[in-house]
Amino acid sequence: MECHRWMSKGVNIKYEVRGNRKGYKAGALKEGLKHDYVKDCQYIAMFDADFQPESDFLLRTIPFLVHNPEIALVQARWKFVNSDECLLTRFQEMSLDYHFKYEQEAGSSVYSFFGFNGTAGVWRISAINDAGGWKDRTTVEDMDLAVRTMLRGWKFVYVGDIKVKSELPSTFKAYRFQQHRWSCGPANLFKKMMVEILENKKVSLWSKIHLWYDFFFVGKVAAHTVTFIYYCFAIPVSVLFPEIQIPLWGVVYIPTVITLLKALGTPSSFHLVILWVLFENVMSLHRIKAAVSGLLDAGGRVNEWVVTEKLGDANKTKPSSNGSDSIKVIDVKLTEPLVPKIVKKRTRFWEGYHCSELFVGICIILCGCYDVVYAKKGYYIFLFLQGTAFLVAGFGYVGTRPPSTA
């Protein structure tokens, strides 16, 4: 209906769908670029379904591409409309604000590589074609295209002043699925492109080292591994062995400084920094499992695309009490969905729990008890807090509850 309204005003707009999910998002994007009218276009703007760009978005992004022929991508920043919904969304806002404010902006400022976020960006179509188009070999088609485009010598620009409203997943189940895709996909892509990156002749050695080591190995694999092994394994296990002494600067000082610097991206949530660190340590378990499965191509979920469930509550507006501003409600005939709706089976009560988080949480708390009674190393406060965070996540008491279905 929205497209018909703009078509009636003379705007050249089309609404396209396809009859299958082959290749998931990459397949849909590849199919979209095959239409005849795309040949008359130079640029393509991309938004996920929950994104709400401002009316001047193209006026503020296209000039970067028009006046800089070497630029392939203009990436805008995300703005979250439901960041205050619950603690889970506040934690996500802190992590993503750091990602955009420091990682993306720093990469753009020094003309270094930074990844395409999959939405809220404008691509030069000739750059997409030069890099080989969209590929569905992983679940991170956006990062795949960005890496291949960078290896062809194209540049990207990040514009933090342009913000696009979006919604964060507010249920822990949806967030876990999203983080699995965001961790497994890059690791799987790293495995498939590590040789190609090293053999590339169009970019400098420094650019290849940054992409191979900093972006992929450290950022997508090692960071999760070190976080989990250090905070959730090494420190708890050290209380069982008197000869193991972890210096205070390694337990408190350096991690505190790093955490405070990362939290500067979201000053309004600075008081939640301790809870945020505990939650990130919990998620490191899930991320490291996803990264390992991506590196080994193990499990059936490596190339599985699970759409992130979002409740949409943040976009709902209260009905106006003024009759002149009321919205007219009309009845429309719903078309049959392309993918039949799956009847949800009745789940048993224990299926809502996450056993790995519960197991790790219990082990950490037991180590804390041992520290209080025998070891007396003084780690018990951290161990009790971290173990409790794992238990809270294991029981699913993170985020909002999804609406009940009949």
Side-chain angles (χ1 to χ4, degrees):
M1 294 181 64
E2 187 71 15
C3 290
H4 285 297
R5 184 169 69 87
W6 285 103
M7 288 177 65
S8 64
K9 296 181 180 181
V11 176
N12 183 15
I13 185 172
K14 296 182 184 295
Y15 177 75
E16 304 282 359
V17 296
R18 60 177 185 149
N20 60 77
R21 295 189 69 202
K22 182 180 179 181
Y24 301 112
K25 186 176 178 180
L29 293 168
K30 184 189 300 184
E31 189 71 21
L33 292 180
K34 293 180 180 179
H35 294 287
D36 293 336
Y37 52 80
V38 177
K39 298 177 182 179
D40 300 326
C41 303
Q42 299 182 51
Y43 315 109
I44 174 175
M46 293 181 54
F47 303 97
D48 285 349
D50 59 301
F51 278 67
Q52 307 168 47
E54 299 293 340
S55 58
D56 62 347
F57 178 84
L58 294 178
L59 294 175
R60 300 179 65 185
T61 54
I62 294 297
F64 287 96
L65 297 167
V66 172
H67 299 291
N68 301 277
E70 74 278 6
I71 292 179
L73 165 69
V74 178
Q75 175 69 62
R77 182 172 178 172
W78 299 358
K79 182 179 180 181
F80 312 109
V81 297
N82 65 329
S83 59
D84 294 331
E85 185 172 346
C86 60
L87 271 178
L88 177 61
T89 54
R90 294 289 290 271
F91 294 155
Q92 293 177 70
E93 180 189 32
M94 295 175 72
S95 299
L96 290 171
D97 278 351
Y98 168 78
H99 167 69
F100 282 106
K101 189 172 182 63
Y102 296 106
E103 293 179 344
Q104 299 291 77
E105 192 165 330
S108 177
S109 299
V110 298
Y111 298 101
S112 183
F113 173 79
F114 65 89
F116 173 46
N117 295 113
T119 178
V122 183
W123 275 94
R124 189 186 302 273
I125 295 180
S126 59
I128 296 177
N129 296 331
D130 182 50
W134 297 99
K135 294 186 179 181
D136 56 4
R137 56 182 174 176
T138 69
T139 56
V140 284
E141 76 298 322
D142 46 5
M143 186 181 297
D144 188 351
L145 177 63
V147 172
R148 287 184 284 111
T149 306
M150 178 264 191
L151 294 178
R152 296 290 298 174
W154 292 89
K155 296 180 180 179
F156 306 153
V157 63
Y158 167 76
V159 188
D161 293 336
I162 305 177
K163 301 179 181 179
V164 182
K165 296 178 181 179
S166 63
E167 184 181 353
L168 294 165
S170 56
T171 65
F172 189 51
K173 178 181 178 182
Y175 183 65
R176 278 171 56 93
F177 276 122
Q178 182 195 68
Q179 292 302 301
H180 181 275
R181 188 173 73 246
W182 286 6
S183 300
C184 178
N188 189 245
L189 179 63
F190 179 43
K191 174 187 177 182
K192 294 178 178 179
M193 293 200 68
M194 59 173 59
V195 176
E196 181 180 347
I197 293 172
L198 295 176
E199 292 179 347
N200 183 271
K201 303 297 183 182
K202 286 198 171 185
V203 297
S204 65
L205 176 62
W206 176 252
S207 297
K208 289 191 285 187
I209 292 175
H210 167 71
L211 181 60
W212 200 95
Y213 180 76
D214 293 337
F215 182 80
F216 273 117
F217 179 72
V218 175
K220 307 304 179 183
V221 180
H224 314 317
T225 306
V226 172
T227 298
F228 178 75
I229 291 178
Y230 183 68
Y231 288 106
C232 306
F233 180 77
I235 295 179
V237 171
S238 68
V239 303
L240 304 178
F241 300 93
E243 59 273 14
I244 298 179
Q245 294 292 334
I246 301 179
L248 194 60
W249 57 264
V251 179
V252 179
Y253 299 149
I254 292 182
T256 299
V257 172
I258 295 175
T259 300
L260 293 178
L261 291 176
K262 292 183 68 173
L264 290 177
T266 313
S268 61
S269 299
F270 198 78
H271 60 288
L272 299 174
V273 64
I274 295 179
L275 297 178
W276 175 51
V277 170
L278 296 174
F279 178 72
E280 285 295 297
N281 292 343
V282 172
M283 289 307 301
S284 67
L285 170 62
H286 189 64
R287 291 169 181 149
I288 191 175
K289 291 191 298 182
V292 170
S293 65
L295 286 173
L296 302 179
D297 267 323
R301 293 178 56 189
V302 174
N303 292 316
E304 178 187 18
W305 182 282
V306 179
V307 178
T308 304
E309 177 186 3
K310 298 181 180 179
L311 303 182
D313 295 336
N315 299 331
K316 294 179 180 178
T317 56
K318 297 181 180 180
S320 174
S321 58
N322 187 352
S324 61
D325 295 331
S326 60
I327 300 175
K328 183 179 179 181
V329 180
I330 61 175
D331 294 329
V332 296
K333 183 178 180 181
L334 298 177
T335 59
E336 183 179 354
L338 296 175
V339 180
K341 185 177 181 180
I342 301 176
V343 179
K344 187 176 181 180
K345 298 181 180 179
R346 184 182 299 274
T347 58
R348 299 176 177 85
F349 74 93
W350 61 80
E351 294 179 356
Y353 301 147
H354 309 290
C355 297
S356 57
E357 281 86 349
L358 291 174
F359 175 76
V360 174
I362 292 173
C363 291
I364 292 178
I365 289 180
L366 290 177
C367 291
C369 295
Y370 186 87
D371 185 38
V372 172
V373 178
Y374 298 106
K376 301 187 185 302
K377 291 188 176 182
Y379 300 160
Y380 61 91
I381 296 179
F382 166 74
L383 296 177
F384 286 151
L385 290 175
Q386 189 62 73
T388 302
F390 268 99
L391 293 180
V392 170
F395 285 114
Y397 296 141
V398 181
T400 59
R401 292 288 184 178
S404 59
T405 56

